[in-house]
Each structure stands twice: as structure tokens, then as C-alpha cells.
Amino acid sequence: MPTFYGTEVTSRLMLGTAQYPSPAVLADAFRRSGAGIATVSVRREAGGDQAGQDFWALIRDLGVAVLPNTAGCYSVREALTTAQMARELFDTNWIKLEVIGHADTLQPDPFGLVEAAAQLAEDGFEVFPYCTEDLVLCERLVEVGCKVLMPWGAPIGTGLGLNNIYGLRSLRAYFPDIPLVVDAGLGLPSQAAHAMELGYDAVLLNTAVAKAGDPAAMAQAFGLAVEAGALAATADPMDARDMAAPSTPVFGKAML
């Protein structure tokens, strides 16, 4: 199982906690999927009011690790303030860092992301940066202290899957010892399995489960797909080839 900042988690599947039809459905989705990490938006949940306390109690009862995030932040200052709130509220140094640069695509701001990551790492945070598969950007994030990278598969909430297989594969080859998580854009379990077959350590998703007709069943499907893909990656899969090759030997066949 993957290890993030020295902590081994129980699953290669990470689930968001937004948009579910009800708290009961959210809890059922986590139970059936076996997800090991729950991401929580600090901007959405208030620690002091009753609704926030009820939500936090639900997350604690799931028995999974919590990864607060700075979802919806469009500036370095906003992301840093949200991260500080998250550490106080959830008592963890983990933070999923989002600094959004484009409102339509929700693409990360690479300049703001590196700046915020550097300041958070210096302040003792263990940063999980939501980024693109850009190799130069990822190298800068590692240089400023990030020990996990979370490149998108496609824009958040689109369900398009893995838009840049070459880029994701190159990232895996370039950072063989850095935990890599495909974050955002996955819509089907087969896409999650593909990410694992590329050698990624985990996937993070929300909309594909929360907005499914049966969120708990879809969560379970993603959990199974992630494990299947991870197992396939370690099984030395066959190489693709241009020419057909018979699976049944022709030696010893009767000649007519």
C-alpha cells in the first residue's frame, strides 16, 4: 500500500466528501469502497457550528485518514490561510494544496502553487499538491519540499479520464521514488485501473462516485478497479505488438 510522508494508508483509493445525496450515502460509499483517505474542504465545513461538528463526527467514524484541502482558493494568500485553518481544525500537517489559476478549467496556477507549497513546507506542512502532469512544474514542487505529487487526469469533474497518457507515463518514469496520485477527471473505474497500470500509487476522485445513480456501488467498483490495476502493474504485463501471434502452438499439428 502507498506511504505518504511516512504514513502507510490502507487503500490506493482516496475519496472526496462533497456532493453526496446524504451523510448515510457518503458513509456507505466509504465502507464499500475500502477507501483509505477522505479529502475534506475546509472552506465548506465550519469547525464551530453544529453542522460542522456533525460532519466532523461522521468523518471520524469512517476510521480513515483525513486530508484537508484548499479547494476553491485562487491566490497564494487564500491557500495559506485555509491551510492554517485546516491544521488547527483537523490536527494534521497534511494538506492537499489547490491554487486554482483558471475558472473554467480549474487548472492549477503553477506559479502560485510552487510559491504556496514552498511556504507551507517551510512551516512544517506535508503538502499534497494538485498539479498538472507538467514535468518542470513537478520538479519545482519536489525541490521546494513536496514528497507527493498529484497530477490531474483531466479537469475536475469532467470524467474524461487520462487525457495525457504520455505525460503521466513520463512523470512516473522521471520520479520513480515519489508517490504519485492521479487526482481529478476520472469518471469510470476502468480509468482508475489504467492509472494504476501506469504505475501510479493511488487515485483521488469525488464527482464520479458522489454523482452516480448509486454512489455506494460506484465507490465499490472503483475500489475493485484500483486493486485490479495495481495487481496488473506488478504482474509484468505483456508488451503490445503490431503483429498477431497465435496463442495455440502450431507445432505437432497434423498437416493435411
Side-chain angles (χ1 to χ4, degrees), residues 11 13-38 58 62 64 205-206 208-212 214-224:
S11 171
L13 180 63
M14 306 160 69
L15 284 181
T17 55
Q19 306 183 77
Y20 288 84
S22 71
V25 171
L26 185 157
D28 195 24
F30 270 85
R31 281 192 294 267
R32 289 181 61 176
S33 70
I37 292 179
L58 170 64
L62 295 176
V64 300
L205 54 116
N206 190 161
V209 167
K211 289 299 187 180
D214 186 339
M218 185 61 77
Q220 182 178 1
F222 269 101
L224 294 170

